[in-house]
Amino acid sequence: MAQEFHVGLDVLTGERPLMAHSPAGVQQPAREAGRTFYIETFGCQMNVHDSEKVAGVLLRRGYRQVNTPDAAALVLYNTCSIREKAAQKVFSRLGQFKAGPDGSKVIGVLGCVAQQEGEQIFERAPWVSLVCGSASYRKLPELLAELEAGNRRVTGLDTDTEETFETEITRRDNPFRAYLTIIEGCDKACAYCVVPFTRGPERSRSSAPVLEEVRQLADVGYSEVQLLGQTVNSYRDPSPRRLSFAELLVAVSEVPGIHRVRFTTSHPRDFHRDIVEAIDSIPALCDHVHLPVQSGSTRILRAMQRTYTREDYLEKLAMIRAARRPISVTSDIIVGFPGETDQDFADTLSLLDLAQYDGVFSFKYSPRPNTPAISMADPIPEEEKGRRLAVLQERQRRIQTARNEALVGQTFEVLVDGQSRKENQWAGRTSSNRVLNFSSPHENLLGHYVQVKVARAGPNSLVGERVM
Ligand code: 5AD
Ligand code: SF4
């Protein structure tokens, strides 16, 4: 049965619900009360972290974060356009301000929908004042200054930049895992994907500021960091040190106080043996690789412009499976890409059996503007895409159940990141990123590393007992 967990984020981050009045009941000065913002995030981890950085820029300018759009003077939506459904969400959010504008709120659209739709957003929702894609976030302070000066239509839509989005402060929302972008944008050209268009060309950050940020995170108490990039392992240090991705992983894991290092998302083409060797030799590098295959059919992979074959992918997987310690592997899969035949789909199912993934995110193909695949005929009916998705998910569910059941009796270290409303019940993550729920009579285990022995397993999580 699903258990409910809550993390006291408000308490842990020092964030408090909005108070219209000060504790003494005295009204706050109008200007200060006016400088409030609300930000809602859709989409991937990159977006989640971008929102943390945007919040940092705003806090630095004297804004205060609030928990509802109603309480905010500046309402921001950081959007995702990876699939049509995700992109539509923001327009339903924007719809609620239709009755306005009463002039008291500034509404902004950030992220991938902003980049994709550009100034058309002003036509669809004239009450929006700011439209800014992620490749232009370094300009945010100027754009905010224009808004504060009363400008009603402000845009940041360039993607022709060499720079990455560096902030003086970042307001981190996850008290246990610190996200850190090391590479932005994408130079691959997967036929289905909007990311190269919405996030612009690939830009790696220099290793020195990355390592400095990791040291600062360790200083404020973070022991787990997750390095982010659309193709994180395509990282190349642009500074004279010229660290490879694997060398950067090693350097990050050597920062005193850092106990766990994760990274996502890896592209199979740039996934080399040195990454596996680094994980094998350094316990702090987590034993988990997210390595999306997208399809098990070489024919479809070619149409997708993924730059590898089924066999190439399986070779990479064999390299990972040959590591001295077990490394958990997860994947993304798209079903119903234009031209996918029953045989192609069968190839994807057989790849699932061979790959034995520990987790899979699977999606129906969704045609996106500004992608090469948009001009391909998309004859596979929605119902057939849905059927293939259900078949794939059921097959994977059985694989995951079996893999998780094989862990019963083993003991894992977990970082405790959740507390159940039920007494003595906790949740944590193993190095392989599995959720492990367990009981322990100890008070306040949040943020601690503890050893837990697995007693039961389901497809998506494990249940165990703390071992002392
Ligand atoms: N349709 C369906 N899924 C997509 N993804 C990316 N673009 C599309 C699309 N147009 C999936 C891929 C990617 C994940 C983040 O989203 O599997 O790895
Ligand atoms: Fe969505 Fe891709 Fe943008 Fe992330 S980068 S928010 S997954 S479209």
Side-chain angles (χ1 to χ4, degrees), residues 44 81-84 190-195 230 265 290 292-294 304 306 331-335 337 361-368 371 373:
C44 62
S81 62
I82 197 95
R83 284 168 291 276
E84 198 182 344
C190 302
Y192 50 80
C193 189
V194 285
V195 170
Q230 297 298 339
T265 293
H290 185 57
V293 67
Q294 311 298 359
M304 286 177 164
R306 283 293 285 178
S331 191
D332 294 345
I333 292 179
I334 298 175
V335 299
F337 186 77
F361 299 97
S362 48
F363 313 98
K364 288 190 274 183
Y365 168 69
S366 164
R368 306 307 299 130
T371 61

Side-chain angles (χ1 to χ4, degrees), residues 134-135 138 160-166 184 201 203-205:
S134 68
R138 72 199 184 289
D160 57 344
T161 177
E162 299 272 286
E163 294 163 67
T164 51
F165 177 35
E166 305 275 342
E184 287 176 10
R203 289 101 62 203
S204 289
R205 278 174 80 191

